[in-house]
Amino acid sequence: MQADDRPEQLPEPDAASAEHSRRVAAHLRERIAEAGGSLSFAEYMQEALYAPGLGYYAAGATKFGAAGDFVTAPEVSPLFGRVLARQCAEILEHVGGSVLELGAGTGRLAVDVLGRLESLNALPDEYLILEVSPELTARQAETIGAELPELRERVRWLDRLPEAHRGVVIANEVLDALPVERFVRRESIRQLRVEEQGGDFCFVEDEAPPLLRDAVFEIEDDLKRALERGYTSEVSLGAPEWVADVVGALESGAILLFDYGLPRREYYATDRSDGWLRCHFRHRAHSDPLILPGIQDITAWVDFTAVASAAVDSGAEIAGFVTQSAFLMNSGLDAEMQLPADAPLEQQLALSEQVKMLTLPGAMGEAFKCLALSRGLDAPLAAIRQADRTHTL
Ligand SMILES: C[S@@+](CC[C@H](N)C(=O)[O-])C[C@H]1O[C@@H](n2cnc3c(N)ncnc32)[C@H](O)[C@@H]1O
């Protein structure tokens, strides 16, 4: 996800968005009252993003692209999906089967991957999509129907993970959209909960429940040090469970998870003492999740060590952990970016801008990683060259 970092310049929402946000705020106030005065941050994030008919992903906000709040790699350029298709083709060649995409957004990535797989003569049995948002499911069907009508029949939406998937699983920027808990390290571990005061939402501290407390103790054990007093950050209690379910659904093949995130030792670095929340509104990035409920995106960077360790505990192997830039370069970005010699200058310049956005360290190239997991797959992945496999998690 890419947006400018200028929180002080948040634009005013238009009248319809402001009205929608008032409805979401009223819903959150109700939930807070029902819960006895406060919600954990994960509960607040769940409601703000996914409350049926109201949450940011569940309702009609534009979200993606120029008229929305952010862009993701597939929205930046078809190159992302076309290169990813090459890696999918290699995996499908070994194990056969289907592609399963989790959290497919507008359907853009599905169009690019499936279209390129067709031209590589490597069509999967099916292209399956598991999406939690009914609004986005409808948008995906529209995009795929309009842009790939001849392959529409090969696409099927699931309402739960399959029992024994063979092939590839892909998920771009899904982990960062899963609700996280917030905590503060004091003498004990404290949980940050959300209350309403004078019409606004605010954070209050309470004793952490056992699951959160134990998760923070485990982080400290891994780091071999206690976090400093006052240190504030996030923990995703849901991500390990989510990845365990995905690994459990894979009979053979690979899972490719793309997201912005870090290994644990960097995630909980001493100088990162206010956590990794990132909110997006009209292409401005900031870190206040309690404003603009229901009309701004709320995300958190991913602790990839936690995800990898849950995957291994569930029976997956780590095939590699690389930056998005390395993934794309190893998988054939050079071949995909070739234009005919007589291509117009504007087209060449546009393509070069897209490549920069996807690969440069200051753009999406370094912050975004690919965690590749495998099961019953003997061959190494082209995207993860030998040297890259030594990246430590
Ligand atoms: C930031 S968007 C990314 C969309 C798309 N992958 C892209 O790169 O443009 C997050 C997507 O994940 C979906 N999502 C969130 N939680 C999910 C879950 N538990 N299972 C499947 N999809 C989920 C959202 O509805 C949305 O489609």
Side-chain angles (χ1 to χ4, degrees), residues 1 50 57 64 72 74 103 105 130-133 136 172-174 242:
M1 227 170 254
Y50 304 109
Y57 281 104
F64 303 85
T72 57
L130 178 60
E131 169 59 65
V132 292
S133 157
L136 288 175
N172 187 58
E173 293 207 41
V174 179
W242 182 85

Side-chain angles (χ1 to χ4, degrees), residues 181-193 204-221 223 225-235 237 268:
E181 294 289 0
R182 297 204 82 204
F183 69 89
V184 190
R185 184 59 158 118
R186 305 259 181 228
E187 218 32 62
S188 61
I189 313 292
R190 310 279 290 171
Q191 180 181 42
L192 286 177
R193 299 181 63 84
V204 288
E205 273 184 47
D206 202 351
E207 205 53 40
L211 268 181
L212 175 59
R213 185 198 57 207
D214 293 349
V216 179
F217 284 154
E218 193 187 309
I219 291 164
E220 294 189 332
D221 277 355
L223 298 174
R225 62 178 170 83
L227 297 166
E228 296 69 30
R229 298 298 180 258
Y231 189 93
T232 303
S233 194
E234 292 84 35
V235 176
L237 298 178
Y268 296 105

Side-chain angles (χ1 to χ4, degrees), residues 235-266:
V235 176
S236 175
L237 298 178
E241 212 175 294
W242 182 85
V243 78
D245 288 345
V246 177
V247 169
L250 183 70
E251 183 187 87
S252 59
I255 302 168
L256 304 173
L257 303 173
F258 296 86
D259 230 306
Y260 38 84
L262 295 161
R264 179 165 276 182
R265 66 184 179 286
E266 291 172 50

Side-chain angles (χ1 to χ4, degrees), residues 1 49-50 57-58 63-64 70-75 80 101-109 130-134 136-137 140 170-179 242 260 297 299:
M1 227 170 254
L49 295 183
Y50 304 109
Y57 281 104
K63 304 181 258 291
F64 303 85
F70 55 82
V71 284
T72 57
E75 304 285 333
F80 181 77
E101 183 178 355
L102 306 172
T106 60
R108 189 71 261 148
L109 186 60
L130 178 60
E131 169 59 65
V132 292
S133 157
L136 288 175
T137 301
Q140 291 153 17
I170 56 182
N172 187 58
E173 293 207 41
V174 179
L175 281 164
D176 72 66
L178 301 180
W242 182 85
Y260 38 84
D297 192 22
T299 72

